[in-house]
Amino acid sequence: MFFDTDCGGVVHNIAYLRMIETARTRLAAKLGMALREMAQTQLFPVVVRTEIDYRKPAKLGDIIRIVGHLEKVERARFWCAFEVLRGEDNQRLITCRQALALVQMPQGRPVRLPEDWSARCGQLMDRQG
Protein backbone atom coordinates (compact mmCIF):
# COMPACT_ATOMS: atom_id res chain seq x y z
CA MET A 1 0.00 0.00 0.00
CA PHE A 2 1.11 3.59 -0.55
CA PHE A 3 0.92 4.31 3.19
CA ASP A 4 3.45 1.51 3.85
CA THR A 5 6.14 3.06 1.62
CA ASP A 6 8.41 6.08 1.49
CA CYS A 7 8.75 8.49 -1.46
CA GLY A 8 11.07 5.98 -3.20
CA GLY A 9 8.44 3.24 -3.03
CA VAL A 10 10.34 1.23 -0.39
CA VAL A 11 8.35 -0.37 2.45
CA HIS A 12 8.87 1.29 5.86
CA ASN A 13 10.42 -0.86 8.59
CA ILE A 14 7.43 -0.32 10.91
CA ALA A 15 5.07 -1.67 8.23
CA TYR A 16 6.73 -5.08 8.53
CA LEU A 17 6.01 -5.19 12.26
CA ARG A 18 2.34 -4.49 11.57
CA MET A 19 2.29 -7.35 9.03
CA ILE A 20 4.01 -9.65 11.54
CA GLU A 21 1.40 -8.66 14.15
CA THR A 22 -1.31 -9.90 11.78
CA ALA A 23 0.56 -13.17 11.16
CA ARG A 24 1.11 -13.64 14.91
CA THR A 25 -2.61 -13.14 15.60
CA ARG A 26 -3.45 -15.83 13.04
CA LEU A 27 -0.82 -18.16 14.54
CA ALA A 28 -2.29 -17.59 18.02
CA ALA A 29 -5.70 -18.64 16.72
CA LYS A 30 -4.18 -21.89 15.44
CA LEU A 31 -2.77 -22.43 18.94
CA GLY A 32 -6.25 -22.07 20.43
CA MET A 33 -5.98 -18.42 21.44
CA ALA A 34 -8.67 -16.77 19.35
CA LEU A 35 -9.30 -13.07 19.89
CA ARG A 36 -12.81 -13.63 21.30
CA GLU A 37 -11.52 -16.21 23.80
CA MET A 38 -8.73 -13.87 24.92
CA ALA A 39 -11.24 -11.07 25.44
CA GLN A 40 -13.40 -13.36 27.61
CA THR A 41 -10.57 -14.83 29.71
CA GLN A 42 -8.51 -11.61 29.79
CA LEU A 43 -5.41 -13.76 29.19
CA PHE A 44 -3.27 -12.25 26.45
CA PRO A 45 0.06 -13.08 24.79
CA VAL A 46 2.27 -10.01 25.18
CA VAL A 47 5.42 -9.36 23.16
CA VAL A 48 8.42 -9.00 25.47
CA ARG A 49 11.18 -9.06 22.85
CA THR A 50 11.46 -8.60 19.07
CA GLU A 51 14.53 -9.43 16.99
CA ILE A 52 14.30 -8.44 13.33
CA ASP A 53 16.74 -8.50 10.44
CA TYR A 54 15.98 -6.42 7.36
CA ARG A 55 17.67 -8.37 4.56
CA LYS A 56 16.21 -6.91 1.37
CA PRO A 57 13.64 -4.18 0.75
CA ALA A 58 10.13 -4.76 -0.46
CA LYS A 59 8.85 -2.18 -2.89
CA LEU A 60 5.48 -0.74 -3.81
CA GLY A 61 3.52 -3.35 -5.75
CA ASP A 62 5.38 -6.39 -4.34
CA ILE A 63 3.15 -9.21 -3.17
CA ILE A 64 4.34 -10.19 0.30
CA ARG A 65 3.88 -13.53 2.04
CA ILE A 66 4.58 -14.13 5.72
CA VAL A 67 5.39 -17.57 7.11
CA GLY A 68 5.29 -18.01 10.88
CA HIS A 69 5.76 -20.85 13.30
CA LEU A 70 6.22 -21.59 16.95
CA GLU A 71 9.93 -21.91 17.56
CA LYS A 72 10.27 -22.68 21.27
CA VAL A 73 8.09 -23.13 24.36
CA GLU A 74 9.38 -22.39 27.86
CA ARG A 75 7.62 -22.37 31.24
CA ALA A 76 6.47 -18.78 31.13
CA ARG A 77 7.21 -17.59 27.60
CA PHE A 78 7.32 -18.80 24.04
CA TRP A 79 9.12 -17.78 20.85
CA CYS A 80 7.56 -17.29 17.42
CA ALA A 81 9.62 -16.95 14.23
CA PHE A 82 8.57 -15.26 11.01
CA GLU A 83 9.91 -14.83 7.50
CA VAL A 84 8.63 -12.14 5.16
CA LEU A 85 8.99 -13.31 1.56
CA ARG A 86 8.47 -11.63 -1.79
CA GLY A 87 5.74 -13.62 -3.51
CA GLU A 88 7.01 -13.56 -7.08
CA ASP A 89 10.50 -14.95 -6.40
CA ASN A 90 10.20 -16.25 -2.80
CA GLN A 91 13.10 -13.95 -1.85
CA ARG A 92 13.56 -13.66 1.94
CA LEU A 93 13.14 -9.99 2.87
CA ILE A 94 12.84 -10.09 6.65
CA THR A 95 13.48 -12.58 9.44
CA CYS A 96 11.96 -11.96 12.84
CA ARG A 97 11.76 -13.70 16.22
CA GLN A 98 9.50 -12.63 19.04
CA ALA A 99 9.34 -13.75 22.66
CA LEU A 100 5.89 -13.59 24.24
CA ALA A 101 4.52 -14.15 27.72
CA LEU A 102 0.94 -14.84 28.77
CA VAL A 103 -0.37 -12.00 30.91
CA GLN A 104 -3.55 -12.00 32.99
CA MET A 105 -5.34 -8.67 32.74
CA PRO A 106 -6.29 -6.33 34.27
CA GLN A 107 -3.67 -7.17 36.90
CA GLY A 108 -0.89 -7.32 34.27
CA ARG A 109 0.48 -10.44 35.95
CA PRO A 110 2.47 -12.99 33.91
CA VAL A 111 1.22 -16.58 34.19
CA ARG A 112 2.80 -19.91 33.38
CA LEU A 113 1.86 -21.55 30.13
CA PRO A 114 -0.77 -24.27 30.62
CA GLU A 115 0.62 -27.81 31.01
CA ASP A 116 -0.97 -29.09 27.80
CA TRP A 117 0.18 -26.05 25.85
CA SER A 118 3.65 -27.43 25.18
CA ALA A 119 2.18 -30.63 23.72
CA ARG A 120 -0.33 -28.72 21.58
CA CYS A 121 2.43 -26.44 20.34
CA GLY A 122 4.68 -29.40 19.60
CA GLN A 123 1.96 -30.90 17.43
CA LEU A 124 1.60 -27.62 15.55
CA MET A 125 5.38 -27.41 15.03
CA ASP A 126 5.42 -30.98 13.68
CA ARG A 127 2.72 -30.12 11.13
CA GLN A 128 4.42 -26.90 10.01
CA GLY A 129 7.91 -28.33 9.74
Side-chain angles (χ1 to χ4, degrees):
M1 298 290 174
F2 282 110
F3 58 78
D4 286 330
T5 62
D6 61 18
C7 63
V10 176
V11 174
H12 293 290
N13 60 338
I14 196 71
Y16 293 111
L17 290 174
R18 193 173 53 249
M19 294 173 205
I20 289 167
E21 172 96 9
T22 300
R24 194 180 64 249
T25 300
R26 290 178 179 164
L27 180 59
K30 288 183 180 180
L31 294 171
M33 295 186 300
L35 291 173
R36 184 169 290 164
E37 180 184 328
M38 285 188 268
Q40 291 171 348
T41 65
Q42 294 292 292
L43 188 61
F44 298 96
V46 175
V47 176
V48 295
R49 180 174 178 81
T50 296
E51 301 169 1
I52 190 165
D53 291 309
Y54 301 96
R55 299 178 181 279
K56 295 187 187 262
K59 297 191 177 168
L60 183 63
D62 283 348
I63 303 297
I64 294 175
R65 184 170 62 96
I66 301 174
V67 178
H69 67 276
L70 192 65
E71 186 176 74
K72 184 177 182 181
V73 177
E74 299 172 356
R75 286 174 40 177
R77 69 178 178 179
F78 57 100
W79 288 85
C80 296
F82 302 93
E83 288 185 316
V84 178
L85 308 165
R86 184 180 300 115
E88 66 188 43
D89 59 6
N90 225 25
Q91 185 75 37
R92 184 182 306 146
L93 306 175
I94 304 292
T95 54
C96 177
R97 293 178 70 224
Q98 291 184 321
L100 297 97
L102 287 181
V103 175
Q104 184 68 59
M105 296 304 285
Q107 302 88 348
R109 187 182 61 226
V111 298
R112 284 190 177 184
L113 297 174
E115 290 291 327
D116 70 332
W117 213 75
S118 186
R120 279 192 298 162
C121 294
Q123 292 169 356
L124 181 63
M125 287 190 310
D126 288 344
R127 282 184 293 208
Q128 295 202 356

